[in-house]
Each structure stands twice: as C-alpha cells, then as structure tokens.
Amino acid sequence: MAVELATWWYVALSGTLFAIGTWGLMNRDNAIMILMSIELLLNAANINFAAFSAAHGAQDGFTFALFSIAIAAGEAAVGLAIFVNLFRLQDSVDVSKATLLRG
Amino acid sequence: MVMEMIGGLLPELSLIAGSFVILLAMARIDEGRWPATVAFVSLAFASLFTLAQLTELPGLGFVPQSGTVLDVYEISVFAALLKLLFLVGTAIVVLASPGYMDRASMQAEYYSMLLLATIGMMIVASSQDMLTLFLGVEVTSFASYILAGSFKSEPTSGEAATKYFITGALSSSLVIFGMSLLYGSAGTLTFAGLAEFWAGQVERYASLGQPALYLFMYEPIQAISVFMVLAGLGFKLTVAPFHMWAPDTYTGAPDTVASWLGGVGKGLGIVALLKVFLWALAPLETGWEPFVAGLAILTMTWGNLVAIRQDDIKRMLAYSSIAQAGYLLIVLPVGTSYAIAGGVFHTFTNLLMKGGAFLVVAAFAYAGIGTKLQDYEGLGRRNPFLAISLTVFLLSLAGIPPLGGFWSKFVLFSSAVDVGVGGSWLWWLAVAGIVNSAISLFYYVRWIRTMFVETTMHPKEIELPAGITTAIAVCLVAIVAVGFAATPVIDWGLQAGEALLAAAP
C-alpha cells in the first residue's frame, strides 16, 4: 500500500523522538528524566499511528493511539510509584545508585 | 449476542471480579488470609470456564467453545489450553504465598496484581490483532513491575522493580514502535490482514525472481518494524541479548514472584511471539527464520554458560530460565504443529519445574536459609522433602528421563530434527539443545551434591506453612506424572498447534 511522501516527514519526526528517548533512557540516571524518556518513546509511536492512519484514510491507527495514550498514563503512574518507593529506600531517585544486585 | 459475548469472556471476567473484590474489600478488611482465598476461588472459577471451552462440561453449555468476541478476541483450543496452563500455574503460586508473603506490607494488592497479570496473559493468548496483543502484554507487564516490588521496605525488591520497569518500558516502546511501522506498511492491525499483506509482498518478490530475504534490503522500514517487534517481545521472554534484566529482577523480587515470573510469566513472551511470528508474519518465515534460530542458539548457550559460575541459587535459576527461553524459541523457526505442541508442553513443564524450584527457594528463605551455595550444605538432612523436590525439579530442568522436562524438550528437539530431515539446517537447533542440556546438567548436579553433602552442623527441623508444602508437592507430583503420561499432553498441544496454524494462511 502506497504511503504519500509527506507522511515520511512524520516518520522522520517520530524516529528522531524515539532516538532521543532511547538515548535518554540509556544515559540518564535521574528517575524523572527516565520517565520523560519513556513518554517520548511511547508518543513517538503515537505520531506514527496518527500519521499512517490519516495516510491510509482509516480509523484503526487513531484508535491504537488513543489506547496507547491511556497505556502511557498507566506506565507513568506505575513508574512514579516504583520511583517514589526507590526514593524512600535510598534517599535518592538516582537509579545508578541501585547496585545491590549484580553478578 | 450479548450473552455469547459474556459467555466467551467468563474466564477473564472471573479473574477481573476476583481482583476488584480484593482491591475494594481491602479498605474495609485488612487482617487475615482472605485475599488468597478470594484469588484462589476466582482462579478456580476461571479454570472451570476455560475447561468448558476445551471440553463439553455438563451445565456449562453457555460457554462457547470457539469463535470470536467482537471480532477482536478469539476463543480457540490454542487460547483455551494456554489460559488453562496460566491459571493452574498462578493457582499454585497463590497457594504457596500465604506465610511467605506475610512480611509484605501489602498483602491484598499482591494477590490482586497476580490475578491482573494472569488476565493480561489470557488476553495475549486470545488476541487477534496487534492492539489486543499489546494491551495484554502491557497489563501483564504493569502488574509484574508492581509484583517485583512487593517487599516495599527491602532495597533489593525496590531495585528489582526499578530495573524491571526501565527495561520493560524500553521493550514495550520497541514493540509499539515496531507495530506502528508495521501498520504504516500494511495499513491494517489484524493478524489476518498483516499475513495477507506479507504474503502479497513475498509473492511480489518471487514474481521478480528474488528471494523474500531481499525484501529486508530494499525496504528497510519493513525490516526495522519486524526486528523491533522481535526485540521488544524478546525482552519479555528474556531472549539473549535482551535478558539482562532477568537475573537482577528474579533475585531481588520476592521468591514467589520470581516463581511466577520464571514459571507462568515465561508464557507471556512465547505466546506473544507465536501469535505474531507464526500468524501475522508467517508468510515472511524465510526472512526472519535465520535470525530467530540464531537467537535461540545464542540464548540457550549464553544462559547455560553464565549459570555455571553462579553461586546464588536465584541467579542460577534465573540464568537457567534464560536457557529455557532459548529452548522455547526453537518453536518459531520450526513452526510445525508438532513444534507448537512442544512449545505448549514446555511452557507447562517449565511452570511446574521452574516455578517449583523457586517455590523451594521460597520455602528455604521462609526458614531463614540464605541463597548462597554454602547455605545449601546439608539441607538434605534438615528437610528431605524440600531437598528431594528441588533435586527432581533441577533434574527435570536438565532433561533427565523419565521426568516431564525430558519429554517436553524431546518434543521440541525432535520437531527440529523432523524439519531437518526435510533438508533444512534447523536440525542444528536440536544439536545445540542437546549439547546445552549436557552443559546444564553440570551446574544442576553441583547444587544437588551440595544439598546432600554431610555437614557437622546440628540438623534442625524446618517448619513450613501448609500452603507452600502443598504447592511444592503439587508441582512435584505433576512433573513426575507428566513424565509417565506425556502422550495426552502432546495430543492437546498438537490440537492447539493445529488451531493456531489453521488461523494462519
């Protein structure tokens, strides 16, 4: 199925966001920055879904994006709870300080 | 129409009811063992309704045996059989939890999350399109992150949850981004539609006289989408090199949670991969086959080699669990109904032997025994039942006949040999599997020998709650019984495999 050339600009944008998010997830130690990177990663896919859905003239991509927004909210809530607990345990949200488990 | 819909969803609805009752009642009742009872009852009801989807049960005629709910949720032998395995596995973990989980500050949430995680896996088993599959994967993942952090006041548990969450979020985003690119190429999200699209693509390349593998070179976006989904779901199954979260998470998480993650939870990744790669991406098999086969060999070898030098039993079991993921991955490149039967069978034996082994670790931990190799010295004297159970589970993991683990591995490896006879190089998978089983025996025997070594330590009896003893006994009896009655299980697995392959083109 042919996708219009203009759509690929959206894919370029989402690809860039995905790359930034991956870089942030790998290189940032602060838990809040990690949560923000995760939001970037999930929303990069949403841009794709919206752009492709418009290009295909179908609704299922938009539907997926809606569900995905709800999932991102759930992910943030669970992540925040885990990081709050981490802060209680080690008085810091620096995830690089969590080094009890290794081997 | 509405009644049929509800009838088809009864297993899931029972679990949802159970988990919500626990969450709502938690505010009013905070003492006692009632959450475990509620969880167990709802699991029993869900198993009953799932059983009604497999065989005619008198009085349960309102549960449809096949079909779809709202065109997105399939009811089939494949889905029902796997759901039944997940439910039984979770029920064993619930049975073992009271007592061990007493030191967790949130009892009720723990059982509620166990049920939710199981619901997610059931959704994946029934999914017919990418959205349903992704939702199921996420429901299970969210619940598992929370489960891993159940011991809120213990730094190791918090760290396990943190690491699990970060890698899990990365893998979820890989899956969803890959899905979005797949949608961009194919314009549809249903497995059937995707399979049709890929069949058309492969045909187009064939008509140009080029192998399907070239598709990956000329259309890189499509290649990227396939590999992103593979990598993302590979994280969930702990496929090397995406396995690094597993040893830390299994070690830091409560032992019963590790038992669930390494036993039942292993089913999530393999079922999702089966659905995506043997249905939606099935026409492209020549394209992804070498990569997945390579990952299978890499995963089993890596897991077993690193497991040799572990002197912590939970880390050893975690790496051995990675090796099991490698064996399970054989199903994808082979792709026959016999191979799927092996995959279903191994999912079953894995949840008995791996889940059981972690439960023994939980029982020892309950008695205040550490997880290091030297802590396990002389345990054969102190509690023969636990030591013999662990011995049986480890031998079954290594694949010693006549235990269940031998037969499930046998089906997996012989399915690879079967296609190898037809001229495929995939029989190397069987060779790698057998060599790996031999390697794994080496470190399993080291732990077994340690348990039965004589020590001068004063032998003290170990007192255990009834639940965990029963759960371990159930796993022990089942893994031995399955070894002597493998044929019916393989038959069920074959039916499941044929159901899955019938859906695929």
Side-chain angles (χ1 to χ4, degrees), chain B residues 15 18-19 21-23 25-26 29-44 90-102 106-115 467-468:
Chain B
L15 289 196
S19 73
V21 163
I22 295 173
L23 280 182
M26 181 181 79
I29 325 165
D30 52 9
E31 283 296 312
R33 295 278 157 80
W34 63 271
T37 315
V38 174
F40 200 80
V41 168
S42 69
L43 282 165
T90 311
I92 293 173
V93 175
V94 168
L95 187 62
S97 295
Y100 177 79
M101 285 307 291
D102 280 357
M106 322 176 296
Q107 297 274 322
E109 285 93 332
Y110 166 79
Y111 294 104
S112 179
M113 287 305 139
L114 263 183
L115 294 187
I468 199 161

Side-chain angles (χ1 to χ4, degrees), chain B residues 333-491:
Chain B
V334 177
T336 56
S337 62
Y338 188 49
I340 300 173
V344 173
F345 194 4
H346 200 67
T347 309
F348 178 47
T349 50
N350 181 61
L351 76 86
L352 292 176
M353 56 199 183
K354 179 68 67 180
F358 270 118
L359 287 183
V360 174
V361 176
F364 280 139
Y366 179 80
I369 294 163
T371 54
K372 297 286 175 207
L373 188 64
Q374 64 268 24
D375 297 327
Y376 273 63
E377 278 174 13
L379 288 182
R381 175 70 66 84
R382 289 183 64 185
N383 193 323
F385 167 68
L386 287 183
I388 289 170
S389 304
L390 188 57
T391 306
V392 171
F393 295 140
L394 292 183
L395 289 178
S396 178
L397 280 167
I400 301 295
L403 297 166
F406 165 75
W407 289 107
S408 58
K409 269 192 195 174
F410 177 79
V411 177
L412 277 175
F413 298 164
S414 58
S415 73
V417 173
D418 273 355
V419 294
V421 171
S424 164
W425 64 282
L426 290 173
W427 60 274
W428 277 105
L429 285 171
V431 175
I434 291 163
V435 170
N436 267 294
S437 300
I439 299 174
S440 68
L441 191 59
F442 176 72
Y443 59 84
Y444 291 135
V445 166
R446 186 167 79 122
W447 281 89
I448 294 167
R449 209 180 47 213
T450 308
M451 277 193 298
F452 292 101
V453 85
E454 289 296 320
T455 51
T456 51
M457 201 175 59
H458 179 63
K460 198 176 78 195
E461 288 289 313
I462 295 174
E463 293 285 324
L464 286 178
I468 199 161
T469 317
T470 319
I472 293 168
V474 167
C475 289
L476 184 66
V477 170
I479 200 75
V480 175
V482 162
F484 288 105
T487 324
V489 186
I490 298 173
D491 281 346

